[in-house]
């Protein structure tokens, strides 16, 4: 059980595996006005940057669960580096179906709603770990500009135009699921550039160091194609945001 290696090659230098900058992550944390000691569950926690920095800056405590052994190791190392290893723990495992032993104040899934088969299922999954009156955080793509055709949607890493909604419709969906949207942090095109273009440099450096690896042809092909595909399609059409939700 692990994340395929291609992901960890692409995002080897990333602390945040989403188009969210360190500044925006910190601003979002402040905007939520979390009390010191807030208990957080982070499903698909990646390299743990949200939990570790919020534990340092906002005095949160919590647990992250992620399927990547490498990212989980990085998260544990980051906790030590930031001096919060006594406040956060990182568990290697499948987060789909993961429910906290004790209800938490904040349950998050930032950029991995496939673990609950989409937004509705992920809200249900997070709700099972949340204390009454708690807050949920969900990171999710939306159509900044709705793709004119399925080919464009595929080029945005979607399987179909129907995979995502325009932003107001996503907000409406949260309402229909019974949640108030109480905060949000959106990524703009510059943020997407930081996230995506960093993958190109990671791939190039990796190729230079691993020319004979069995994944080298795949990485080579991706690096050759991605800057064009990204600027032509994804950068224009795909938005991304983190939404804070509280049950009505
Ligand atoms: N929330 C983190 C990581 C987002 S990237 C951040 O914002 O930085 C998506 C993450 O989902 C990756 O770390 C990947 O390893 C993890 N993932 C994918 N499928 C998973 C599953 N079934 N259970 C747990 N983690 C999963």
């Amino acid at each position: 059980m692990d994340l395929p290696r291609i992901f960890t090659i692409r995002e080897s230098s990333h602390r945040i595996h989403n188009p969210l900058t360190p500044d925006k992550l910190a601003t979002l944390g402040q905007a939520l006005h979390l009390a010191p000691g807030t208990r957080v569950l982070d499903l698909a926690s990646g390299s743990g940057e949200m939990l570790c920095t919020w534990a340092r800056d906002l005095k949160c405590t919590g647990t992250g669960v992620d399927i990547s052994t490498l990212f989980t190791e990085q998260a544990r190392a980051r906790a030590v580096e930031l001096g919060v290893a006594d406040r956060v723990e990182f568990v290697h495992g499948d987060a789909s179906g993961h429910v906290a032993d004790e209800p938490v104040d904040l349950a998050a899934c930032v950029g991995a709603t496939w673990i609950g088969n989409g937004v509705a299922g992920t809200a249900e999954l997070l709700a099972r770990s949340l204390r009454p009156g708690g807050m949920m955080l969900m990171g999710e793509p939306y159509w900044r500009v709705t793709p004119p055709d399925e080919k464009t949607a595929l080029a945005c890493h979607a399987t179909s135009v129907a995979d995502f909604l325009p932003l107001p419709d996503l907000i409406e969906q949260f309402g229909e699921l019974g949640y108030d949207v109480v905060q949000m942090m959106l990524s703009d095109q510059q943020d997407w550039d930081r996230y995506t273009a960093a993958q190109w440099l990671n791939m190039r450096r990796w190729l230079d160091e691993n020319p004979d690896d069995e994944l080298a042809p795949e990485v080579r092909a991706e690096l050759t194609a991605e800057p064009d595909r990204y600027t032509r399609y994804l950068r224009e059409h795909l938005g991304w945001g983190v939404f804070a939700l509280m049950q009505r």
Side-chain angles (χ1 to χ4, degrees):
M1 180 180 61
D2 212 333
L3 189 67
R5 202 157 58 98
I6 183 77
F7 290 95
T8 56
I9 293 170
R10 273 190 211 120
E11 303 199 8
S12 59
S13 72
H14 292 59
R15 286 206 169 113
I16 303 172
H17 303 280
N18 271 309
L20 192 63
T21 60
D23 281 358
K24 285 194 175 178
L25 185 61
T27 302
L28 175 63
Q30 287 163 15
L32 297 177
H33 300 293
L34 305 174
T38 293
R39 296 156 303 167
V40 183
L41 174 68
D42 188 9
L43 299 185
S45 45
S47 300
E49 192 67 4
M50 183 175 85
L51 267 179
C52 290
T53 55
W54 288 8
R56 178 193 60 192
D57 301 339
L58 309 169
K59 313 293 174 222
C60 294
T61 66
T63 303
V65 181
D66 198 280
I67 208 161
S68 165
T69 42
L70 181 66
F71 291 168
T72 303
E73 282 165 18
Q74 290 177 177
R76 289 175 185 146
R78 185 71 169 148
V80 171
E81 184 187 354
L82 297 188
V84 296
D86 56 336
R87 263 179 265 154
V88 294
E89 74 166 332
F90 292 96
V91 178
H92 173 241
D94 188 346
S96 41
H98 182 100
V99 177
D101 297 335
E102 299 279 328
V104 297
D105 306 302
L106 179 69
C109 175
V110 178
T113 51
W114 58 85
I115 67 165
N117 292 316
V119 167
T122 300
E124 262 173 49
L125 173 63
L126 293 174
R128 290 168 62 198
S129 292
L130 206 57
R131 69 159 168 85
M135 193 185 284
M136 211 176 260
L137 276 187
M138 220 186 290
E140 180 69 0
Y142 57 86
W143 293 125
R144 187 178 163 270
V145 175
T146 301
D149 48 40
E150 292 295 323
K151 175 184 158 228
T152 306
L154 292 182
C156 296
H157 301 300
T159 63
S160 139
V161 177
D163 280 6
F164 306 126
L165 297 169
L167 179 59
D169 295 0
L170 178 58
I171 298 287
E172 195 177 316
Q173 185 187 9
F174 291 134
E176 284 165 3
L177 293 171
Y179 290 92
D180 287 324
V181 179
V182 295
Q183 257 299 351
M184 66 177 190
M185 179 57 81
L186 304 181
S187 299
D188 62 21
Q189 288 177 305
Q190 310 284 336
D191 304 333
W192 270 107
D193 295 346
R194 298 283 60 71
Y195 171 61
T196 306
Q199 299 178 13
W200 310 336
L201 183 58
N202 291 342
M203 287 193 282
R204 176 54 204 256
R205 295 271 189 246
W206 183 88
L207 274 172
D208 288 348
E209 283 160 23
N210 301 277
D212 301 322
D213 191 285
E214 61 177 9
L215 282 183
E218 182 182 341
V219 174
R220 176 71 257 168
E222 189 173 321
L223 175 58
T224 304
E226 273 306 304
D228 178 82
R229 173 157 101 146
Y230 170 70
T231 47
R232 200 174 290 281
Y233 301 108
L234 195 147
R235 192 176 196 274
E236 282 312 299
H237 294 92
L238 202 61
W240 194 83
V242 184
F243 303 89
L245 312 173
M246 293 178 75
Q247 197 149 36
R248 285 184 182 149

